[in-house]
Amino acid sequence: MRRTALLASAALLAGLLPWAATARAAGEPAPVPVDRFEGEVPFAAQPAEGIFTWGGDADDPPTLRLADRADAPEGGKVLTGGYDISGYGGFTHDYAATAPAHDWSAHQGIRFWWEGRNNGKKITFEIKDGGAHGEASELWTASFTDDFTGWKQIQLPFTDFAYRTDHQPVGGIDHVLGLKEMWGYAVTLPAGLKGDFAMDGVELYGRADQALRASVTTDAPVVPVREGGTARVKVTVATTGEQPLTEPVTVTYATADGTAASGTDYTPVSGTLTFPAGTASGTVRTVAVPTRRDKAAEPAETVPLRLTVTGAKAPAETPQVVIDAHGLPYLNAALPVRKRVADLLGRMSLAEKAGQMTQAERGAVGQGADIAGYALGSLLSGGGSTPTPNTPEAWAKMIDAFQLRAQATRFQIPLIYGVDAVHGHNNLSGATVMPHNIGIGATRDPRLARRTGAVTAAEVRATGVPWDFAPCLCVSRDERWGRSYESFGEDPALVDSMETVIQGLQGRADGRDLRRPDKVLATAKHFVADGGTAYGSSTTGTYTIDQGVTTVTREQLEDLHLAPYRTAVERGVGTVMPSYSSLDIAGDGKGAVKMHARGDMINGVLKGRMGFDGFVISDWNAVDQLPGDFAARVRASVGAGVDMMMVPYTYKEFSTTLADEVRAGRISERRIDDAVSRILTEKFRLGLFEHPYADTSGAARIGSPEHRAVARQAAAASQVLLKNSGGLLPLRKSQKVYVAGSNAADIGNQTGGWTLTWQGASGNTVPGTTILEGLRKAGGDITYSKDASAPTAGHDVGVVVVGETPYAEGVGDVGNGHDLKLSAADRAAVDRVCAAMKCAVLIVSGRPQLVGDRLDAIDALVASWLPGTEGDGVADVLYGRRPFTGQLPVTWPKSEAQLPINVGDAAYDPQFPYGWGLTTLTQVPKGGTATLHDLAARAAAAERRGDERTGRALVTKARLLVQQKADGHVTQAVAAPFADADHLLLTGRYGKAVQKLAQAYRAA
């Protein structure tokens, strides 16, 4: 259809549709079609030009088709489709990557016809600027609201598009909407609503004006100044492509009414800044706002500076000069924290207190205006929620910008920003990624656990983040749980011993080190008994065990699940996070109750009996899992003792509902004051009032050789040698080694979930060293074939690295698309290599894998867990640079039917027992029953003396004797006392431990 016909059609439709925009100004270029949806653009994806769908999971991409419509606004067809999106979903039109990008710079904006459903939902429209192609471009977004019925032409001026801050495919390019190299557009459809849509006639319209090419900005939206000082607001004019202005730009400014009093608190100013035609891009003018000093102590006061811009795009918001709070007792760092807290609390309004109890996601607050608007107390980055680019500098800059917003509040209470740094600063690209907790538990080395925590804290704090949602103190009792790798192990005594990580994160238990630039506030999670949920009890989506129900007696709860929290409180942990799971205590008459509503446990046990004096932070949107309407859920969780609510995207609703419930008398002011006091206490202890902004002095050490050396040692110490027939390991550099398997050269699989993103991902995701690279760097003669298809002849030994791909939380539950078996490709690789030569099999996984059917064919078997970014550590033990010393932190089952199986069970017949771990480079002591009798007597004596070092050494000798005699053939009679011995060792009963090992020795 010719363009004249198109225009005629549009003109005719204009008489029928009241919203049609048909007028064109004189000299305005004709619209340029992008999509007519008549079939000229196929349904196809890169590198071809085409329209394609996408979504967060398999159900999220919408359905699309071209439909004949008599009422089509343009032509005879429209694009239509249906959607039912739980996460995110939409569709894209990309230009062909093999052809040049398009130039949209001559136009004012982009428009299209949309058939409204009047559902009140926001539709996001995204354009793609610069880069190599549509999927490697820079994303700019605008939106409209579907609050109409029938066809309407939506016009989106390019001046309305904002740089997308939550995601950029290639980390952002130049942050400038150039419009000269455009690759297409994308539409994001609303989530949580089943519906359909129709769209037609996407086109470029209008003539570009200078307001598109030129913009006026200020150096910051908030400009703090000490009372009596002069605030200087920098006003900058900039152009696309850094070209000089073609037309003049004027900026008229004037101070306006804020909370500061004109003439008393500041001297009012007004005037005009002129940027003549020809002014260079980046030119800065300064507006000075003098403030006045008086003798009164005061909270912060604001002075808005109104800017009226002609000839360019105005700033997105009015900058505010803030006269800093001064003279108030809570600002006096010399006062005790409790006095500072009491003074500040007594000055705060109910709305300000509610804000302190509210935590939002960084992606939800945009540029952060709501931080002051709702007096927010905290922000977080969820898994994968990162700045662009994902660098230490960008993290610090982002968090400092958020902290600056908090300076516009009355009392300038700083934010506390939190992240899930659960095995290093795992959201940050280039950070040192440690083994996951299950591997740390395998090291049996509390000092090393502390060092890993210290490295994590240093890297986290150097990016401006003072709070870490770690460590997980769950006692994992069923390896089918998708979070089992977040646990140090199945024995509370083992978990207890690894809690030195809290000191690594926080420093000394009294909190005096929290002000240091290399320490962070730690979080003990998930209170309580999240590791004890029963298989099949989850009611969350397709999860099978995560967020399910833990059914225990009171004694089991105390001994298994509460014990680690007693230790955490003694170690001074600053925050505690309740579990999503439900707790059903036999005989208490409550039934299964979500932990976020169990006041008997949070208020009663944690805060009351244990004396926890930090604050309780909810899990992500956990309030929404409680019964009743939103107000009832808020009452239940706050009443149970939750002090701060993680409500990533519903922070407005939570803070206003909380305040309303207090006003109505359904939540007591005393409870609110307790919660806010706890939160403020930790902020004061962290030194945030004196130093709210990032101290990046330690940023150069992020991912440094020094830090990676700690991770390398942890990776080596976490390796558990389960079988070693004929002393195959360690390898010799003279041997020709054939390496195969899916996890030998995949650092994404090696680091697991919670790495850059929530679920993690396979592939080359983060800087580091794969196991294959580590083997090559160790000097071995290596042949690599992932699927073992390369010829095997001529090699001395095979190393097959197999296991799991990444997952996190309930997504990784067995039965939710996962099992405990090796993949078909991994099984084939093991079979090919082990049939051709002596072989060592390494299992890289978050939990035991079932390999009993192949165990006889495997000469050496290693549980490598998820060793992190330092594959050199794995190579260190394989080549004998370090000895194998790791021990199983969980029981290794023979079959899934045995699960759950744990140390201390009445029926205990595993493949390998808890605590099992062969060693290398260490001479096994000689002797038998008599030797064990002597070791038991000496160990009991060491126990009486409180000599831990000697006691542990004697138990280790006895353990080596048992393992040597069992020679990899572990019977039930051997396994049970062997596992019991490791538990006894961890509880300091060295004599009893050796007696149990003697029992295992006799049965071997």
Side-chain angles (χ1 to χ4, degrees):
M1 185 182 294
R2 292 179 300 172
R3 167 52 56 183
T4 53
L6 288 178
L7 296 178
S9 174
L12 176 62
L13 195 61
L16 302 175
L17 301 177
W19 305 284
T22 60
R24 199 166 85 231
E28 183 176 296
V32 173
V34 177
D35 263 330
R36 298 181 54 240
F37 302 121
E38 300 297 312
E40 79 281 10
V41 178
F43 291 107
Q46 287 287 335
E49 178 169 7
I51 299 169
F52 61 93
T53 63
W54 39 266
D57 57 40
D59 297 329
D60 283 349
T63 59
L64 298 182
R65 64 187 178 92
L66 298 177
D68 292 312
R69 289 278 293 265
D71 64 341
E74 193 277 344
K77 296 179 185 292
V78 301
L79 179 70
T80 186
Y83 59 90
D84 185 5
I85 302 167
S86 58
Y88 63 90
F91 60 91
T92 289
H93 174 185
D94 272 358
Y95 294 137
T98 55
H102 293 218
D103 186 348
W104 293 1
S105 63
H107 295 275
Q108 181 183 358
I110 190 166
R111 67 189 179 195
F112 49 89
W113 292 91
W114 189 267
E115 188 176 31
R117 300 294 188 260
N118 201 23
N119 55 33
K121 294 292 187 178
K122 185 173 78 171
I123 314 294
T124 300
F125 192 93
E126 193 167 80
I127 57 178
K128 304 185 170 195
D129 179 54
H133 53 75
E135 299 309 292
S137 57
E138 195 165 71
L139 306 181
W140 292 75
T141 65
S143 64
F144 66 96
T145 301
D146 187 342
D147 56 2
F148 54 92
T149 302
W151 288 108
K152 178 179 179 179
Q153 192 173 47
I154 306 297
Q155 292 197 158
L156 299 174
F158 291 133
T159 51
D160 285 356
F161 283 83
Y163 178 80
R164 183 170 172 179
T165 58
D166 59 335
H167 170 70
Q168 290 289 343
V170 290
I173 300 169
D174 58 7
H175 296 215
V176 174
L177 182 56
L179 295 172
K180 289 185 176 295
E181 294 182 313
M182 302 302 294
W183 291 105
Y185 67 87
V187 176
T188 301
L189 295 164
L193 176 74
K194 186 174 183 179
D196 59 7
F197 76 96
M199 182 182 187
D200 201 13
V202 184
E203 63 184 16
L204 308 174
Y205 74 93
R207 177 174 62 86
D209 56 29
Q210 183 171 266
L212 170 65
R213 300 189 303 273
S215 61
V216 169
T217 59
T218 59
D219 54 337
V222 177
V223 183
V225 61
R226 291 187 177 183
E227 186 191 42
T230 297
R232 302 187 187 278
V233 181
K234 294 180 179 179
V235 180
T236 303
V237 66
T239 62
T240 300
E242 298 185 348
Q243 299 299 311
L245 294 178
T246 58
E247 301 172 24
V249 172
T250 60
V251 180
T252 301
Y253 63 87
T255 49
D257 292 335
T259 58
S262 175
T264 302
D265 296 315
Y266 69 97
T267 301
V269 298
S270 61
T272 300
L273 305 175
T274 301
F275 299 87
T279 299
S281 177
T283 298
V284 178
R285 303 272 194 272
T286 301
V287 177
V289 181
T291 68
R292 299 183 176 186
R293 186 183 301 277
D294 58 32
K295 296 182 179 180
E298 295 173 307
E301 299 169 310
T302 59
V303 185
L305 183 65
R306 304 287 186 194
L307 303 178
T308 304
V309 178
T310 303
K313 185 178 181 180
E317 57 185 296
T318 298
Q320 291 192 83
V321 171
V322 177
I323 304 171
D324 287 338
H326 55 277
L328 301 173
Y330 77 88
L331 295 170
N332 184 357
L335 289 177
V337 167
R338 60 180 177 79
K339 289 189 176 181
R340 299 178 74 183
V341 169
D343 177 70
L344 178 52
L345 187 70
R347 300 176 186 278
M348 295 170 67
S349 69
L350 175 58
E352 288 166 332
K353 293 174 183 178
Q356 286 301 301
M357 295 175 66
T358 306
Q359 184 182 65
E361 217 284 332
R362 60 167 285 278
V365 299
Q367 298 301 311
D370 279 349
I371 292 170
Y374 286 85
L376 296 179
S378 181
L379 295 181
L380 84 152
S381 279
S385 178
T386 65
T388 301
N390 188 1
T391 63
E393 296 79 12
W395 275 89
K397 182 179 179 181
M398 173 188 72
I399 294 169
D400 282 355
F402 289 140
Q403 287 287 17
L404 183 63
R405 295 286 191 168
Q407 295 299 298
T409 59
R410 276 203 310 161
F411 300 112
Q412 299 180 306
I413 302 172
L415 296 166
I416 181 169
Y417 198 102
V419 297
D420 286 279
V422 298
H423 61 139
H425 196 356
N426 43 257
N427 271 331
L428 171 65
S429 181
T432 307
V433 179
M434 299 290 173
H436 269 295
N437 281 356
I438 194 167
I440 300 299
T443 70
R444 293 298 201 283
D445 189 337
R447 285 172 293 186
L448 182 56
R450 180 171 181 159
R451 291 177 66 201
T452 64
V455 168
T456 298
E459 297 198 359
V460 169
R461 194 69 181 260
T463 59
V465 179
W467 185 14
D468 185 3
F469 304 133
C472 186
L473 301 184
C474 49
V475 180
S476 177
R477 304 292 286 178
D478 192 329
E479 278 60 64
R480 291 171 291 189
W481 188 31
R483 302 193 82 140
S484 58
Y485 64 76
E486 294 187 52
S487 171
F488 291 115
E490 69 186 34
D491 182 354
L494 175 58
V495 175
D496 188 275
S497 71
M498 293 295 109
E499 290 187 51
T500 50
V501 72
I502 294 172
Q503 264 57 67
L505 293 168
Q506 290 195 169
R508 284 170 288 188
D510 61 6
R512 73 178 75 177
D513 295 328
L514 283 171
R515 292 172 175 264
R516 285 173 38 176
D518 62 348
K519 294 300 175 190
V520 295
L521 197 67
T523 307
K525 64 182 189 184
H526 303 90
F527 187 83
V528 59
D530 53 335
T533 51
Y535 189 80
S537 67
S538 181
T539 57
T540 301
T542 56
Y543 294 5
T544 58
I545 186 168
D546 189 34
Q547 303 184 23
V549 179
T550 299
T551 302
V552 287
T553 65
R554 181 71 65 178
E555 183 180 19
Q556 289 170 329
L557 178 65
E558 293 285 344
D559 293 344
L560 285 176
H561 300 291
L562 275 171
Y565 290 92
R566 288 193 292 269
T567 300
V569 171
E570 290 167 3
R571 288 185 173 276
V573 73
T575 61
V576 171
M577 180 183 292
S579 174
Y580 281 123
S581 58
S582 299
L583 182 62
D584 186 355
I585 304 174
D588 74 351
K590 297 179 184 294
V593 179
K594 284 283 187 180
M595 274 306 309
H596 281 76
R598 288 215 66 140
D600 60 327
M601 300 305 299
I602 300 173
N603 284 327
V605 175
L606 178 65
K607 293 181 175 180
R609 196 180 80 201
M610 292 184 182
F612 173 63
D613 60 4
F615 71 88
V616 174
I617 171 70
S618 87
D619 210 334
W620 179 284
N621 272 339
V623 65
D624 289 339
Q625 294 193 5
L626 302 183
D629 61 18
F630 190 71
R633 299 196 294 269
V634 170
R635 290 195 300 272
S637 53
V638 173
V642 179
D643 301 307
M644 181 184 286
M645 206 69 65
M646 190 186 292
V647 276
Y649 300 100
T650 56
Y651 59 92
K652 298 177 185 179
E653 183 181 6
F654 171 74
S655 61
T656 54
T657 300
L658 177 59
D660 288 345
E661 291 300 297
V662 176
R663 292 188 192 98
R666 291 185 287 268
I667 297 176
S668 71
E669 290 189 38
R670 182 178 179 182
R671 170 70 193 102
I672 300 302
D673 286 352
D674 172 62
V676 177
S677 294
R678 291 169 177 269
I679 294 164
L680 293 176
T681 296
E682 298 307 324
K683 289 185 176 185
F684 279 119
R685 292 171 76 204
L686 283 161
L688 294 178
F689 280 83
E690 290 71 45
H691 303 288
Y693 302 115
D695 182 341
T696 59
S697 58
R701 298 173 64 203
I702 294 173
S704 65
E706 173 192 358
H707 285 182
R708 290 184 182 274
V710 175
R712 178 174 180 167
Q713 182 182 349
S718 70
Q719 303 299 293
V720 180
L721 184 57
L722 300 173
K723 180 181 179 182
N724 194 25
S725 295
L728 180 64
L729 297 178
L731 304 172
R732 299 184 300 278
K733 291 184 181 179
S734 60
Q735 292 174 310
K736 294 190 68 176
V737 181
Y738 187 99
V739 179
S742 61
N743 286 347
D746 193 312
I747 202 161
N749 292 351
Q750 186 177 306
T751 50
W754 288 108
T755 307
L756 282 192
T757 60
W758 175 40
Q759 291 295 315
S762 300
N764 188 21
T765 55
V766 291
T769 303
T770 66
I771 293 172
L772 174 64
E773 290 167 337
L775 291 170
R776 284 176 170 159
K777 287 166 66 178
D781 184 354
I782 305 295
T783 297
Y784 171 61
S785 175
K786 179 177 179 178
D787 61 358
S789 60
T792 56
H795 294 87
D796 300 307
V797 62
V799 174
V800 192
V801 189
V802 295
E804 295 186 303
T805 55
Y807 54 81
E809 301 190 35
V811 176
D813 284 352
V814 167
N816 189 23
H818 295 267
D819 57 38
L820 298 181
K821 299 175 183 176
L822 299 179
S823 69
D826 278 349
R827 294 196 299 270
V830 170
D831 292 345
R832 289 190 194 113
V833 175
C834 293
M837 65 193 82
K838 289 186 177 297
C839 69
V841 173
L842 277 62
I843 299 180
V844 173
S845 65
R847 53 197 169 195
Q849 303 292 283
L850 303 175
V851 293
D853 57 343
R854 284 170 170 77
L855 194 55
D856 289 342
I858 296 170
D859 298 287
L861 181 65
V862 179
S864 288
W865 309 114
L866 298 168
T869 50
E870 307 313 300
D872 287 326
V874 182
D876 285 341
V877 292
L878 290 177
Y879 271 104
R881 185 174 181 271
R882 293 179 184 271
F884 276 96
T885 56
Q887 295 175 246
L888 283 181
V890 294
T891 300
W892 197 284
K894 289 181 177 177
S895 69
E896 194 172 320
Q898 286 186 314
L899 296 174
I901 182 171
N902 295 286
V903 56
D905 287 354
Y908 190 75
D909 186 20
Q911 195 83 66
F912 298 102
Y914 167 77
W916 187 266
L918 307 176
T919 192
T920 54
L921 309 183
T922 299
Q923 187 69 38
V924 177
K926 299 189 181 300
T929 303
T931 301
L932 286 165
H933 181 76
D934 176 63
L935 290 173
R938 292 164 58 194
E943 181 181 336
R944 289 191 294 273
R945 295 194 307 271
D947 185 350
E948 178 183 357
R949 183 175 180 180
T950 299
R952 294 179 70 88
L954 293 167
V955 176
T956 297
K957 286 184 177 181
R959 182 172 62 84
L960 294 177
L961 280 170
V962 175
Q963 289 181 154
Q964 183 183 54
K965 187 180 180 187
D967 196 23
H969 300 288
V970 182
T971 64
Q972 182 174 6
V974 172
F978 186 95
D980 290 343
D982 199 54
H983 171 73
L984 290 165
L985 167 64
L986 288 164
T987 54
R989 290 173 287 177
Y990 310 124
K992 287 283 187 181
V994 177
Q995 290 176 18
K996 283 287 184 180
L997 288 168
Q999 179 184 338
Y1001 184 88
R1002 291 191 294 272

